Amino acid sequence: MYIQQAFKSLHEWWRYLVGFIIIFVASQLGSIPLLIAVMFKKVSDGESVYSIDENEILTTLSSNLTLFLMLLSFAVGLLAVYLVVKFFHKQPFVTLTTSRKKTDWGRVLFGFGLITVTTLVVTILDFYSNPEGYVLQFDLVPFLILAAIAVIMIPLQTSFEEYLFRGYLMQGIGVLAKNKWLPLIITSVVFGGLHLANPEVEKLGNVIMIYYIGTGFFLGIMTLMDEGMELALGFHAGNNLITALLVTADWTVFKTNSILKDISEPSAGFDVIAPVLILYPIFLLIMAWRYKWRDWGGKLFGKVEEPIVLSEENTPNSTFVEK
């Protein structure tokens, strides 16, 4: 099983605590270039740098440069996850990704394609049914720069979040708690909670936390049911990438040179939680059908037991047995 693989590496509780701190500090250090760039720009413009707020950090530089420097911290964080897992836990990185012998890239592409097609269809339908809510802002050169940044950096950003929450913390909490439901709940709530600082929360209110936390549960469920993160990796990357390229708004965390700009006044209505209540269950059913998921109760709420390893002298015919 996916979580059980952590038992094969160094999995003492303090290692996960220290490892998480290292990863967190590394990701914060990765945000320093953005702060330096903003301060340099404000100094060059003759402005004060002693009272820089979050809005100034996101709007002082060009949108493409801001996006790149924002995503850089996630790339640094992903590197930290890799180093902590490999050298601190002595765990092969593939076992943090999947229970399969190697990463199933077909699953990654399926998750990516599922949300990409859905987002395109929904956005196009909304654009034609509500054209006054959008502005076509396509500008070839800035868009090509955006595309180059997004294609490289956004998968690093989403992979960092997946490897940290659905990978490192899911396995770590699972082997410590000896069950699956607790890591699913904790990682999903914490994942959603970290989005509290997003400007979308200020604009739409706390109701949008249902979407963020629900997305955490959705990604966690598909990871546990599929015994690996491939679907979650592809889905998360596709969701963020296609959104950054296709549509932006003044009140979103990603203000990009996308094709469309949403100028409608957002409302915290049913459309905010519709993905959690309607789309996500449909996606899970599609994945369950395609990959023949079984035993939902056991995979989501079952126990996580440490494999029993019998030494050679205690096994018949001197055969190594792992239960």
Side-chain angles (χ1 to χ4, degrees):
M1 293 188 295
Y2 175 67
I3 291 179
Q4 273 187 315
Q5 295 187 122
F7 281 117
K8 301 176 183 179
S9 61
L10 302 176
H11 58 275
E12 297 87 353
W13 68 268
W14 61 267
R15 290 184 185 273
Y16 286 100
L17 176 60
V18 174
F20 179 77
I21 294 174
I22 292 173
I23 294 166
F24 176 78
V25 171
S27 65
Q28 296 305 300
L29 291 175
S31 66
I32 291 178
L34 175 59
L35 296 176
I36 292 176
V38 171
M39 292 175 65
F40 181 81
K41 179 66 167 58
K42 291 184 73 67
V43 168
S44 65
D45 291 342
E47 301 178 20
S48 172
V49 297
Y50 295 104
S51 59
I52 300 176
D53 59 28
E54 182 179 352
N55 184 62
E56 289 179 303
I57 293 176
L58 297 176
T59 58
T60 298
L61 307 173
S62 69
S63 62
N64 280 335
L65 180 57
T66 299
L67 179 66
F68 173 78
L69 293 176
M70 281 179 58
L71 297 177
L72 183 62
S73 64
F74 294 94
V76 174
L78 180 60
L79 176 61
V81 172
Y82 175 80
L83 294 176
V84 165
V85 170
K86 184 174 179 63
F87 296 105
F88 196 52
H89 290 271
K90 306 296 183 183
Q91 180 179 0
F93 202 66
V94 67
T95 64
L96 191 68
T97 307
T98 183
S99 60
R100 288 164 275 276
K101 292 183 179 180
K102 60 181 181 180
T103 302
D104 187 341
W105 292 101
R107 278 174 155 85
V108 176
L109 292 175
F110 182 79
F112 184 94
L114 184 62
I115 186 58
T116 297
V117 171
T118 302
T119 302
L120 284 172
V121 171
V122 171
T123 303
I124 291 172
L125 290 176
D126 190 52
F127 175 76
Y128 281 104
S129 64
N130 181 35
E132 65 277 6
Y134 293 91
V135 170
L136 181 64
Q137 62 167 18
F138 179 74
D139 191 349
L140 181 60
V141 174
F143 178 80
L144 290 177
I145 296 173
L146 165 66
I149 294 171
V151 168
I152 296 172
M153 299 299 292
I154 285 182
L156 297 179
Q157 175 242 329
T158 56
S159 294
F160 166 65
E161 294 182 355
E162 290 309 306
Y163 275 107
L164 177 60
F165 290 100
R166 260 63 65 180
Y168 189 70
L169 293 179
M170 182 77 80
Q171 287 190 348
I173 297 172
V175 299
L176 296 175
K178 301 293 194 300
N179 63 53
K180 300 176 182 179
W181 59 267
L182 187 60
L184 174 60
I185 292 174
I186 292 177
T187 57
S188 301
V189 173
V190 174
F191 172 79
L194 289 180
H195 291 79
L196 269 171
N198 283 17
E200 292 92 333
V201 179
E202 181 180 353
K203 185 69 174 180
L204 298 174
N206 290 332
V207 68
I208 198 175
M209 295 306 298
I210 297 175
Y211 168 75
Y212 288 129
I213 295 175
T215 299
F217 273 101
F218 169 65
L219 294 168
I221 289 171
M222 74 170 72
T223 297
L224 291 177
M225 289 304 303
D226 203 49
E227 300 289 3
M229 286 201 310
E230 293 100 330
L231 289 170
L233 284 168
F235 187 96
H236 200 165
N239 180 74
N240 287 25
L241 179 59
I242 195 65
T243 301
L245 295 175
L246 187 59
V247 62
T248 188
D250 290 335
W251 46 270
T252 60
V253 66
F254 283 169
K255 299 175 180 65
T256 65
N257 293 294
S258 57
I259 297 174
L260 299 172
K261 182 176 181 179
D262 185 349
I263 60 172
S264 63
E265 185 62 26
S267 61
F270 180 72
D271 56 327
V272 173
I273 60 176
V276 177
L277 299 180
I278 300 176
L279 286 180
Y280 289 172
I282 293 175
F283 289 154
L284 288 175
L285 290 175
I286 291 173
M287 294 175 184
W289 169 78
R290 179 176 176 84
Y291 296 108
K292 296 178 173 56
W293 292 347
R294 299 290 186 273
D295 187 23
W296 288 71
K299 288 189 175 182
L300 298 181
F301 304 103
K303 295 180 179 180
V304 176
E305 299 178 350
E306 185 169 2
I308 299 174
V309 179
L310 303 179
S311 60
E312 283 193 17
E313 60 269 19
N314 293 330
T315 60
N317 302 320
S318 298
T319 302
F320 178 82
V321 176
E322 182 177 293
K323 182 178 180 182

